[in-house]
Amino acid sequence: MDDHGEQRPPDGGVRPEILASWRRSESLGIGTEGAALPVEDDLDPDSRLVRAAAPVLDRLCERFAGLPVTVALADARANLVDRRGDPAGLELMDAASLVPGANVDERYMGTSSVSMVLSTRAPFVVVGEEHFLHNLKELTCMAAPVRDPVGGTVLGAVNLSVPKELAEPGMALALQDATDRIAERLLDLSAARERNLMSSFLRARERGGHARLHLGSGELAPLGAAPPRLAGAERLALLESAIDLIAAPSGDDGGRAFAEVPLAGGRVATLRRRELRHGDAEGAAVEVSFADTGTTGGGDGGGGRTVGAAAATAPDGRAVPLLHRAAVGGPAEPDTPTGAGEPGEAAGADAASGTDAPGDPTDAWLLLVGEPGVGRLAAEARGRLSLLNEAGVRVGTTLDMRRTAQELAEIAVPRFADLVVVDLVEGALAGEEPPASPLGPGAVLRRVAAWPDEDARDAGGARGARGAGAEGAAFVDGTVTHPPGTPQARCLATGRPVTDSVVTDALTGPEAAAGHPVDLLGEGVHSYLGAPLCSRGAVLGLAGFYRRGRNRPYEHDDLTLAGELAARTAISLDNARHYSREHQASLTLQRSLLPRDTPRLTAADLAFRYLPADATAGVGGDWFDAIPLSGMRVALVVGDVAGHGLQAAATMGRLRTAVRTLAAMDLPPEEVLTHLDDLVSRTSDDPATGATCLYAVYDPVSCRCTAARAGHPPPALLTPGGRARLLDLPAGPPLGVGDLGPYESVGVDLPEGSLLALWTDGLLKEIRGYGGTDTEARTALFLASLTGPEPSLERICDRVTGALLPDGPHDDVALLLARVRALPEDRVASWELPSDPAVVARARELTHHQLARWGLAELDFSTGLVVSELVTNAVRYGGRGPIGLRLLRDGSLFCEVSDRSNTSPRIRRAATTEEGGRGLFLVARFTRSWGARFTPGGKVVWAEQVPHGGPPAAEPDEQTLLSMYDDLA
């Protein structure tokens, strides 16, 4: 009690499940000083559970004679049906209203051992202060479930109470042993009930001439007729149908009385159910008759004859033949009338209940005798196997984690649950490695599936469960955490399936509401089963199964089934996680091999479309590129590698890198392709063998485009006001196919505003693979889609792909459009100078005046220095002939010096004693980039500077210039 008289949970090391139970009890408004327990007056004092438990409880009390021990028996609804033990302990129970018939569920009594057992379906001990009621805090109460030995259903619980100072661990072991003996006695009582049913059946038979059906051998043994033969599959089908009939509810409320099983050769087996009673035992017998649906009799004896004319109307309106009654006085009783469970042979006779028309006595055979409950267990066991088999087929059909979780939820509803939710670890959804150890309380999960049954979907929950609309956000894609003590937290911590009861009235606070989908469950008490999704020692998440109400609580067999379902799903989820991670990694790698965006160029405006045939992979073997070159030129490249997927993308990336390296050397197009071909030809099995490539260079100063191709389709050209056409380029061989001749380039003058289209052959394909495409018609359609006034390159791309690929690509497609521009004349200045050392000063003067006209005075000193060094080198090493000096201005300032030599300058480290060798070093320090390119008449050495837009920088003095060489000392 606190200072205000309110209940407080006990301090220090209290189990989370106890604290959670306390919170639920408080939210339900249960008083701690005493609880008003409801009492049921019409309990059966001679029920099967009471009769089985009575002698066992007597022996348990005798074992602890002399100790203040009380023993109580509760049924599955938490009603006390029996109690015994120390008189003082019984008086304490009376004071706490724990009388026979009292309901000790958590909803009425708060935290107690019996309520925890019936909720968790496992043994539980509540010690002293852990009790919610004050008058029980001096006791230690230990309880264990009583299970049906056939189906594993929890039929009740046995509670042993003792003062907490006298409690010993051996008492819990004795209690567990007692519940095991009660289960054994329940099995004996069940066997006795079935024996009584069989005896009643044999004593009351009215018909003679019945025979036994030997399911083990497949032989039918009627009197006076040759037995028909049954195949193994037919025997199994008959037995399963008989189990279903016995498991069906009896009476007039829709219970099945007939069944038909088609057999080989046009025969039909008709099964009929007869109800049996002996005392309080109720059961059923199933008999079988055979008919031939053909017009002629069968050749297998009695099995081929049709049944007599007497018939009955089945619930679905079909006419079902009746089994025929014979005269009293039949054959001797069968050798082993052991009842329903023996598939090897069944007893032969008829039941007293029911009336039949007279007929041939050899037309009917007894197939199976048993209790409906046992039949239901068999049917449920077969249903569980069927569910597991179906889960193996339907769960994990894709490599998508969310879809796999949804498949688990869909297959479990309504056969195993009324509602299923699946929560996954946040990091696992992103492909990260899940935690190897069990998850602790408070771990953040994301709800990826919530699938209710038809009742909830009809009420509007379907939209939420499917994640659509405003309601979907309340159920799917939200994050959830499970506080300590909740069944979800226990499941994640132990790594084993757990079951519990969910009282929606006791769920308070946002965390509790987020843990259970209260809106989909509705009010009341529901059964919950949580199964961890574990794979390869890692926890991926949690699957939660719900059954509304308390009529069908989850039992031990359900825990096993849920664990198997979760294990199979977890393997599929982990496979999907691995795929997602590897796919994302490969996709990131592949996309990094392509340009993320087109560069901003002086020479042209660009637009592109990249459409891989495999949309999930995102990248194929086609590629394109736009590479800025010196002198404001641009290289346009398109290539195609055979195949699709990661191998083709990796090969594409290798070729693209090689092309960019060769382009940086300022080689002409034909030499770029020659070097690329040589690179591919070095390895005989190079996957790049057979790849195609188109390489074009456009110069905005001369407005000339020079292009060469290696087995690639030629580019299309649309001049202003004209019609699109394909350029006539020599078709060089594909890369790496052998020495089939040198590559040739062709130069074409392009008017400003011309549209150049580079493309791959996937743009023309109508089907996958080779052939089946009218290339000429498709090419004409391509050129027509390019033609027409349209200022937007993006809309032209859409127009082309819409005309040629309305249903998507059948092969990888790359399309690169370039609308070329010309550099205005006022941005170009060029001079031809004689090869004379005295011309260096003249070159600096020309440069100074031109920069002043352009308003680039801030670059005057650095540009003058660069011009001096480059012109000096041209005079010294450029051979005879004039020297060209050209300045190009746009976003950058290019300074170019040309001469007649074909030797390439190289920067080097000059020794401290050398007077020369530092000119190119100065050029590199004062410019952003520099280089050299070869021309038919010699070479061009260029340097690029970027204006900074500020006032001119102070000219460095001699000491500053010398300090630049300190690192070379």
Side-chain angles (χ1 to χ4, degrees):
M1 300 285 289
D2 60 15
D3 296 338
H4 301 283
E6 296 180 356
Q7 187 73 35
R8 291 185 305 178
D11 297 326
V14 179
R15 290 171 289 175
E17 51 266 39
I18 294 294
L19 290 176
S21 177
W22 271 63
R23 296 189 184 101
R24 291 194 299 268
S25 302
E26 290 177 341
S27 64
L28 291 171
I30 301 174
T32 59
E33 299 301 329
L37 304 180
V39 178
E40 187 170 342
D41 298 328
D42 57 350
L43 294 176
D44 184 5
D46 195 36
S47 65
R48 191 162 68 106
L49 175 63
V50 174
R51 285 188 284 119
V56 178
L57 298 183
D58 286 337
R59 288 194 295 271
L60 185 63
C61 291
E62 292 173 0
R63 178 171 181 173
F64 298 109
L67 293 176
V69 172
T70 56
V71 178
L73 175 67
D75 62 14
R77 295 178 298 171
N79 292 313
L80 294 181
V81 295
D82 196 2
R83 63 175 196 171
R84 58 196 67 198
D86 180 68
L90 295 178
E91 291 180 2
L92 181 61
M93 294 183 69
D94 290 338
S97 301
L98 300 176
V99 298
N103 192 297
V104 295
D105 189 78
E106 185 183 74
R107 293 174 296 164
Y108 311 113
M109 184 177 174
T111 307
S112 69
S113 56
V114 172
S115 65
M116 297 299 289
V117 165
L118 296 179
S119 178
T120 62
R121 323 304 272 184
F124 206 91
V125 178
V126 179
V127 180
E129 295 292 331
E130 293 181 336
H131 285 96
F132 191 76
L133 297 180
H134 281 176
N135 48 11
L136 298 179
K137 290 185 179 294
E138 299 301 321
L139 299 177
T140 291
C141 297
M142 51 194 75
V146 177
R147 300 185 183 275
D148 188 319
V150 179
T153 304
V154 174
L155 302 177
V158 177
N159 180 81
L160 187 149
S161 300
V162 62
K164 59 183 180 181
E165 63 272 8
L166 300 178
E168 297 179 356
M171 293 180 174
L173 297 177
L175 180 62
Q176 185 64 54
D177 183 63
T179 56
D180 292 341
R181 290 201 304 271
I182 293 175
E184 294 173 359
R185 285 184 51 78
L186 287 170
L187 182 62
D188 293 339
L189 291 177
S190 297
R193 290 160 61 92
E194 289 187 355
R195 286 194 297 270
N196 291 336
L197 283 175
M198 179 60 72
S199 299
S200 175
F201 181 83
L202 295 175
R203 287 195 304 269
R205 61 182 179 176
E206 298 177 353
R207 181 191 314 170
H210 283 259
R212 290 169 294 169
L213 176 61
H214 296 271
L215 286 176
S217 63
E219 297 286 348
L220 288 171
L223 298 178
R229 189 76 179 179
L230 291 177
E234 294 174 332
R235 297 197 299 271
L236 180 60
L238 288 178
L239 186 59
E240 289 183 350
S241 296
I243 292 174
D244 289 339
L245 279 179
I246 290 180
S250 59
D252 300 330
D253 56 354
R256 294 171 55 199
F258 300 95
E260 288 184 351
V261 179
L263 304 176
R267 294 176 299 157
V268 175
T270 302
L271 281 65
R272 180 177 179 182
R273 164 184 165 146
R274 296 177 179 275
E275 295 184 13
L276 302 176
R277 289 183 177 84
H278 180 86
D280 65 343
E282 297 183 358
V286 176
E287 297 175 308
V288 60
S289 64
F290 298 87
D292 194 332
T293 59
T295 56
T296 60
D300 52 359
R305 296 192 312 274
T306 58
V307 182
T313 301
D316 59 1
R318 294 180 296 107
V320 179
L322 291 174
L323 304 179
H324 299 289
R325 185 183 303 280
V328 177
E333 292 185 10
D335 298 333
T336 57
T338 56
E342 298 294 327
E345 67 179 293
D350 189 20
S353 60
T355 58
D356 298 313
D360 190 346
T362 63
D363 281 336
W365 291 266
L366 177 67
L367 181 59
L368 201 62
V369 174
E371 289 188 83
V374 178
R376 280 193 295 274
L377 292 174
E380 290 172 359
R382 192 169 71 252
R384 285 192 288 269
L385 291 176
S386 174
L387 182 60
L388 283 176
N389 180 67
E390 188 174 350
V393 176
R394 290 179 52 189
V395 176
T397 59
T398 67
L399 289 173
D400 182 87
M401 295 186 71
R402 293 176 180 269
R403 180 56 196 158
T404 300
Q406 184 73 10
E407 288 170 344
L408 169 64
E410 291 177 5
I411 197 175
V413 176
R415 296 163 63 180
F416 185 66
D418 298 325
L419 168 66
V420 177
V421 297
V422 181
D423 304 331
L424 296 182
V425 176
E426 187 83 44
L429 281 171
E432 301 174 3
E433 286 293 334
S437 58
L439 292 179
V444 178
L445 306 177
R446 183 167 294 276
R447 182 148 296 167
V448 297
W451 190 256
D453 57 6
E454 291 292 339
D455 294 339
R457 291 204 291 271
D458 291 342
R463 294 191 301 273
R466 295 178 188 271
E471 296 181 6
F475 304 114
V476 179
D477 282 337
T479 58
V480 294
T481 56
H482 301 296
T486 59
Q488 296 97 324
R490 296 203 312 272
C491 177
L492 292 173
T494 61
R496 295 191 300 270
V498 300
T499 184
D500 208 333
S501 296
V502 176
V503 184
T504 56
D505 293 340
L507 297 177
T508 59
E511 291 184 350
H516 295 290
V518 178
D519 293 338
L520 293 177
L521 283 173
E523 298 181 355
V525 182
H526 314 287
S527 295
Y528 170 79
L529 192 158
L533 298 169
C534 300
S535 178
R536 302 178 179 94
V539 180
L540 297 171
L542 172 72
F545 305 88
Y546 295 86
R547 286 177 180 169
R548 292 190 182 87
R550 308 189 70 180
N551 295 330
R552 298 181 302 135
Y554 285 109
E555 303 294 350
H556 182 73
D557 290 344
D558 296 320
L559 289 172
T560 304
L561 174 60
E564 182 64 25
L565 283 174
R568 296 188 180 191
T569 303
I571 292 176
S572 298
L573 286 171
D574 201 36
N575 291 337
R577 182 188 64 82
H578 278 286
Y579 170 79
S580 176
R581 183 183 62 183
E582 299 302 327
H583 176 259
Q584 188 61 38
S586 63
L587 194 59
T588 301
L589 173 63
Q590 293 176 51
R591 286 175 175 169
S592 68
L593 301 177
L594 288 173
R596 297 185 179 182
D597 200 359
T598 54
R600 298 183 62 183
L601 302 170
T602 301
D605 295 324
L606 302 176
F608 69 92
R609 289 293 182 271
Y610 186 83
L611 305 173
D614 185 358
T616 58
V619 174
D622 291 9
W623 91 92
F624 68 93
D625 213 340
I627 309 170
L629 301 178
S630 64
M632 298 184 184
R633 299 170 303 141
V634 60
L636 305 175
V637 192
V638 168
D640 187 356
V641 174
H644 308 283
L646 185 59
Q647 178 64 55
T651 304
M652 171 269 289
R654 187 162 57 90
L655 290 180
R656 178 172 177 258
T657 302
V659 168
R660 293 187 71 89
T661 302
L662 295 171
M665 298 173 64
D666 266 328
L667 298 177
E670 66 275 14
E671 292 190 27
V672 169
L673 295 182
T674 300
H675 285 290
L676 202 60
D677 176 73
D678 180 64
L679 175 67
V680 175
S681 301
R682 292 178 183 177
T683 306
S684 59
D685 57 348
D686 195 318
T689 301
T692 65
C693 182
L694 170 64
Y695 188 91
V697 175
Y698 173 70
D699 187 345
V701 177
S702 63
C703 293
R704 187 168 182 82
C705 178
T706 306
R709 61 188 180 117
H712 200 84
L717 173 63
L718 175 65
T719 57
R723 299 186 62 85
R725 61 184 176 88
L726 296 181
L727 290 180
D728 186 14
L729 294 183
L735 301 175
V737 299
D739 187 10
L740 301 180
Y743 296 101
E744 298 180 53
S745 63
V746 172
V748 180
D749 292 326
L750 303 181
E752 185 176 7
S754 297
L755 180 64
L756 200 61
L758 287 72
W759 49 284
T760 58
D761 59 359
L763 188 64
L764 303 185
K765 288 188 178 181
E766 295 181 284
I767 61 174
R768 290 187 181 272
Y770 298 95
T773 298
D774 187 347
T775 304
E776 291 186 4
R778 299 282 290 176
T779 302
L781 180 60
F782 168 49
L783 295 177
S785 62
L786 287 175
T787 304
E790 175 55 64
S792 172
L793 293 180
E794 292 294 331
R795 284 197 287 269
I796 295 178
C797 286
D798 293 337
R799 189 169 66 192
V800 171
T801 56
L804 294 170
L805 307 171
D807 300 322
H810 300 287
D811 193 7
D812 297 334
V813 173
L815 173 64
L816 177 61
L817 300 182
R819 178 169 282 139
V820 300
R821 294 199 294 255
L823 190 65
E825 294 182 359
D826 61 352
R827 296 191 180 187
V828 181
S830 60
W831 303 273
E832 186 175 286
L833 305 173
S835 180
D836 185 346
V839 82
V840 175
R842 175 63 178 164
R844 285 199 304 267
E845 182 181 358
L846 293 172
T847 301
H848 171 74
H849 291 301
Q850 186 63 47
L851 293 181
R853 283 194 294 268
W854 281 345
L856 298 177
E858 73 271 17
L859 298 179
D860 184 67
F861 174 78
S862 59
T863 307
L865 185 77
V866 169
V867 169
S868 296
E869 294 295 336
L870 296 185
V871 172
T872 299
N873 286 341
V875 170
R876 287 186 178 181
Y877 312 110
R880 297 180 180 180
I883 297 172
L885 172 61
R886 186 169 74 165
L887 299 179
L888 305 176
R889 169 182 173 262
D890 194 60
S892 300
L893 175 66
F894 280 90
C895 176
E896 298 180 346
V897 176
S898 60
D899 58 42
R900 299 295 179 90
S901 173
N902 57 6
T903 58
S904 177
R906 294 188 299 273
I907 192 171
R908 68 183 182 90
R909 288 180 177 269
T912 55
T913 58
E914 291 184 279
E915 294 183 0
R918 297 178 177 85
L920 291 180
F921 175 78
L922 284 175
V923 171
R925 292 297 295 265
F926 281 95
T927 62
R928 184 169 70 174
S929 60
W930 74 279
R933 65 176 182 269
F934 294 95
T935 65
K939 70 174 183 297
V940 175
V941 181
W942 57 270
E944 179 187 8
Q945 301 176 79
V946 179
H948 49 74
E955 296 184 8
D957 55 19
E958 180 180 352
Q959 188 62 37
T960 303
L961 290 175
L962 290 175
S963 65
M964 295 181 180
Y965 300 97
D966 289 346
D967 60 338
L968 300 178

